[in-house]
Amino acid sequence: MSQDDIKNDIMNRLRTDYMARSLYYYDKTDSTNLRIRQLAEEGAPEGTLAVADMQTAGKGRRGRGWISPSGMNIYMSLLLKPAIPASDASMITLIAAMAVAGAVRDFPEASTGGMADTSTGVSGTPADIKIKWPNDIVVGGRKVCGILTEMDLDGEAIRDVIVGIGINVNQDSREEFPEEIRETASSLRIELGTGEIDRGALIARIMDLFEKEYDEFIKCGDLSFMKERYDDMLAGLGGQVRVLDPKGEYTGMSRGMDERGRLLVETDDKTVRPVYAGEVSVRGLYGYV
Ligand code: BTN
C-alpha cells in the first residue's frame, strides 16, 4: 500500500471528531515523538497524529530505546494541548493505556482465545489483557505495548503533551525479539493467536476510544470516571507488589489506582501509600508483571 492508501485506510475507519483527523504517515522516521514536536512548533492542531512504519531512533522510557522494525508494528504519537495544570498531565498516560487495552480487548480473538479450531468449533481461553501500572499493556504476562508521554511547558503552563505509543503487533514468533527482551516482550499476534492483524483498524479503534476517555477527563479533571474500569484491567490487583522507590524499596498489597492515577499500596502496618508514576517502578514479587 502507498502512504496515501495507508492514511486513507486509517481515515476511513475513524469515528472521531478531532483525534487523528490531522494525520501524518512516514515509511521511516527517527521517532514519531520528535515528528510531533516539530509539527507542534509549526502550529499543528490538537489531535494531530504521526504514524510510522519504522523508526530509526525510537525512544522508550527512562532513556531507553524502543526497537522499531518495519512492516509489522505500530509506532504513533499524538499531539494534545490540554488546558490543565502540568501536575495533572501524567494522568493522560493512563488514559492512553485504557484506550489501547480496550481496543485490544475488542478483537474477537481476545474473547474466544485465538482462532477457533474449525474442525471442532472449540476455542481457547479468553486472552489475559492487563495494564501494568501505569501504562504498559501486558497480554499473556508479556509486554506488548509501551507508552512514552512527554510534555513541553511555557513557563508553568502546558504548551503541549505528546503521547507516544509503541505496539508490537505482528511478530509471529518470540525469536524475532532481541534476546534481552525475549522473556518479557511479545506481540498481539502471538499472544492472541491470530493471523496478521490490520494495523490501520487497530490505530483507528485506539483513537476512537482515546478521544472518548480524554474528553471525559478534560470535563472531570481527574480519572474518577474510569477508576473502576482501570482497576478491572490492572495486573496484580490485590496481590503483593514491590515498589522500587529511589528513596527506599518497600512491598505491599496493590489496592488499585486512585482518582489521580496513583497506585495505592497497602503496607504491612495497614498504611496506604499513594505511588506516583515517574521514576518509581512497581513489580510483582514474581517476575515482570
Ligand atoms: C516504553 O519504554 O515502554 C515506552 C515506549 C514508547 C515507544 C513509542 S513508539 C512511538 C513513539 N515514538 C517514540 O520514539 N517512542 C514512542
Side-chain angles (χ1 to χ4, degrees), residues 61-62 90-91 93-94 97 130-138 223 226 230-231 233-237 241-244 250 254 256-258 260-265 273-284 288-289:
R61 276 181 299 153
R62 304 204 173 92
S90 61
M91 289 187 259
T93 275
L94 284 84
K130 294 282 177 203
I131 299 171
K132 179 177 178 297
W133 182 86
N135 58 11
D136 285 351
I137 310 301
V138 171
L223 300 178
M226 66 170 218
Y230 184 92
D231 281 350
M233 304 218 79
L234 183 60
L237 179 67
V241 289
R242 171 173 290 126
V243 181
L244 307 177
Y250 57 93
S254 164
M257 76 149 182
D258 71 4
R260 300 191 53 76
R262 296 170 297 200
L263 186 71
L264 300 173
V265 175
R273 296 170 72 161
V275 182
Y276 293 79
E279 282 314 297
V280 176
S281 66
V282 174
R283 296 257 181 287
Y288 160 72
V289 181

Side-chain angles (χ1 to χ4, degrees), residues 185-203:
S186 194
S187 75
L188 291 177
R189 181 174 179 173
I190 296 169
E191 296 305 324
L192 299 178
T194 59
E196 186 170 353
I197 290 170
D198 181 333
R199 289 179 286 168
L202 184 56
I203 291 170

Side-chain angles (χ1 to χ4, degrees), residues 9 47 97 100-101 113 120 142 151 158 160 166 172 183 187 194 211 229 234 262 265 276 284-285 288:
D9 180 53
V100 175
T120 60
R142 296 201 160 86
M151 178 166 61
I158 292 181
D160 45 59
D172 62 5
E183 267 318 295
S187 75
T194 59
E211 184 177 280
R229 286 181 292 125
L234 183 60
R262 296 170 297 200
V265 175
Y276 293 79
L285 286 194
Y288 160 72

Side-chain angles (χ1 to χ4, degrees), residues 38-207:
Q38 193 184 347
L39 288 162
E41 279 162 14
E42 292 162 5
E46 179 163 59
T48 298
L49 183 73
V51 178
D53 181 53
M54 174 186 178
Q55 297 183 121
T56 53
K59 294 195 280 179
R61 276 181 299 153
R62 304 204 173 92
R64 288 193 279 253
W66 185 257
I67 297 161
S68 308
S70 68
M72 58 182 81
N73 292 331
I74 292 174
Y75 316 110
M76 62 180 181
S77 303
L78 190 58
L79 175 62
L80 302 172
K81 301 173 185 248
I84 57 172
S87 55
D88 289 0
S90 61
M91 289 187 259
I92 294 173
T93 275
L94 284 84
I95 296 173
M98 271 303 283
V100 175
V104 171
R105 205 189 32 202
D106 288 349
F107 274 112
E109 291 86 353
S111 56
T112 56
M115 285 183 288
D117 178 339
T118 44
S119 59
T120 60
V122 173
S123 53
T125 36
D128 171 36
I129 301 159
K130 294 282 177 203
I131 299 171
K132 179 177 178 297
W133 182 86
N135 58 11
D136 285 351
I137 310 301
V138 171
V139 184
R142 296 201 160 86
K143 175 166 170 172
V144 297
C145 167
I147 299 172
L148 173 68
T149 301
E150 298 180 302
M151 178 166 61
D152 292 310
L153 296 174
D154 251 338
E156 305 223 314
I158 292 181
R159 185 166 54 210
D160 45 59
V161 172
I162 299 168
V163 182
I165 302 177
I167 312 176
N168 300 328
V169 182
N170 278 319
Q171 283 94 341
D172 62 5
S173 123
R174 301 240 319 285
E175 301 297 299
E176 289 180 54
F177 290 89
E179 216 173 312
E180 61 278 14
I181 58 169
R182 202 168 288 161
E183 267 318 295
T184 52
S186 194
S187 75
L188 291 177
R189 181 174 179 173
I190 296 169
E191 296 305 324
L192 299 178
T194 59
E196 186 170 353
I197 290 170
D198 181 333
R199 289 179 286 168
L202 184 56
I203 291 170
R205 182 72 188 140
I206 293 169
M207 288 298 110

